[in-house]
Amino acid sequence: MTYPVNPRTAPHSHDLIAGFLRHLTALGRAETTIDTYADELCRLDRQLPEGLVYACADELLDGIHTGRRGPAHIAKITAAVVGFYQWATYPADPRLDYNPAQHLPRARVRPRRPRPVTNDELADILRRSREPMRTWYLLAAGNGLRCVEISRLDKADVTEDATWIRGKGGKERIVPTHPAVWAAVQAMPAGPIARNRDGSHANRVQVQERANYHLQTTLGHKTVSMHRLRHWHGTYVHQAAGGDLRVTQELLGHASPNTTQVYVATIGGAKAAAVHALPLPI
């Protein structure tokens, strides 16, 4: 994995930040988390007078709480900074001899509430969107895929009965294929579902930015994102499964199965019924 960490993006601490990101990769942290930490740490390194290497606690506090950042954004930056300094001062292999982040206050974040798109919004999106974004929207709403999972998906991973998903942190799951998803995918050529012009896989950022731009700018749904389509999936799967939280967690990839046989054993039962009952407005 290549990180955007260099003397230009992080003039004071690029080597340390790159080492921390390699550490997170070795731990199997999600690609989205690593990308976010890279962005926030590089930005903070540029803002601080002498970067992260020589920062004091007051400078970190001012740098994190500058501007009009909300509690969720502050919590995200704080988590990145605390994790970075814990790694850099790990006693068995210390890179720094002090930890200015050890007493940083934690932001209080209100519990997030689901924000699914409405059925009317989803119906309009599926009616007016163009390919390949329409297929991506179906995968998010019909099969519950994240942008990173769409970016890794090949045509061979989708059959009429099941979709094999490579998820966050290297976790894999198999979910039932919604009939509308299969109708969109079955005639596609072999290879990546989300591809660049040269035929290679588009990455997570490319899928997210292209899909959200089409939603918000081309289609005019300014408050809709790919993640809200996944919220729609979770909401209606939970309802269709009779409130079975375990089924919902497995379909969304929040709980990893131990083996492929676990997927096979459950795919024809409650999970399949829940997916096939989704009222996709097409």
Side-chain angles (χ1 to χ4, degrees):
M1 185 174 180
T2 302
Y3 311 110
V5 183
N6 51 57
R8 180 182 61 81
T9 59
H12 305 282
S13 315
H14 49 276
D15 289 336
L16 274 178
I17 295 173
F20 175 55
L21 300 179
R22 289 193 295 270
H23 168 71
L24 294 179
T25 301
L27 292 179
R29 297 294 295 273
E31 181 181 333
T32 51
T33 299
I34 296 172
D35 287 345
T36 297
Y37 279 22
D39 290 342
E40 298 297 351
L41 291 172
C42 287
R43 185 179 297 112
L44 196 57
D45 189 67
R46 293 193 301 271
Q47 292 174 350
L48 296 173
E50 296 183 85
L52 293 169
V53 174
Y54 298 107
C56 65
D58 287 342
E59 289 174 343
L60 285 178
L61 193 61
D62 290 343
I64 292 171
H65 290 266
T66 188
R68 302 176 63 181
R69 292 170 175 154
H73 193 182
I74 291 173
K76 180 170 61 178
I77 300 173
T78 302
V81 170
V82 169
F84 169 77
Y85 282 107
Q86 286 177 342
W87 166 81
T89 58
Y90 184 62
D93 186 21
R95 281 86 172 170
L96 298 175
D97 59 5
Y98 65 102
N99 182 354
Q102 58 185 332
H103 299 303
L104 283 176
R106 299 300 178 96
R108 292 186 177 182
V109 182
R110 293 180 180 177
R112 293 186 177 182
R113 304 178 67 179
R115 296 181 60 241
V117 295
T118 66
N119 282 341
D120 287 343
E121 287 173 325
L122 184 55
D124 182 66
I125 289 165
L126 296 179
R127 183 177 67 252
R128 294 196 295 123
S129 57
R130 66 172 184 264
E131 294 293 354
M133 281 71 73
R134 184 178 184 273
T135 296
W136 302 352
Y137 302 151
L138 282 169
L139 285 164
N143 273 22
L145 271 70
R146 304 173 175 92
C147 289
V148 66
E149 294 165 348
I150 294 172
S151 73
R152 297 169 177 169
L153 197 67
D154 281 314
K155 163 69 183 304
D157 298 330
V158 185
T159 71
E160 185 175 4
D161 298 319
T163 300
W164 178 40
I165 302 169
R166 291 174 287 279
K168 294 173 66 175
K171 299 175 182 176
E172 299 177 355
R173 69 186 189 278
I174 296 176
V175 302
T177 303
H178 192 284
V181 171
W182 177 240
V185 171
Q186 62 177 324
M188 291 181 66
I193 296 293
R195 64 180 69 201
N196 296 311
R197 291 185 177 181
D198 63 1
S200 63
H201 280 271
N203 61 35
R204 174 191 62 83
V205 174
Q206 290 170 322
V207 171
Q208 179 176 302
E209 290 183 349
R210 287 178 62 187
N212 287 345
Y213 181 86
H214 191 56
L215 284 169
Q216 297 164 9
T217 303
T218 306
L219 301 181
H221 292 281
K222 297 187 181 301
T223 63
V224 176
S225 65
M226 285 289 280
H227 203 61
R228 289 191 63 195
L229 300 183
R230 193 170 133 84
H231 277 207
W232 184 94
H233 178 87
T235 298
Y236 280 95
V237 155
H238 188 255
Q239 178 179 310
D244 190 328
L245 188 61
R246 176 62 180 268
V247 169
T248 308
Q249 287 177 330
E250 289 188 6
L251 287 169
L252 289 174
H254 294 157
S256 299
N258 294 325
T259 63
T260 301
Q261 291 180 335
V262 174
Y263 285 117
V264 173
T266 59
I267 201 166
K271 290 200 290 187
V275 171
H276 292 166
L278 288 173
L280 277 177
I282 57 174

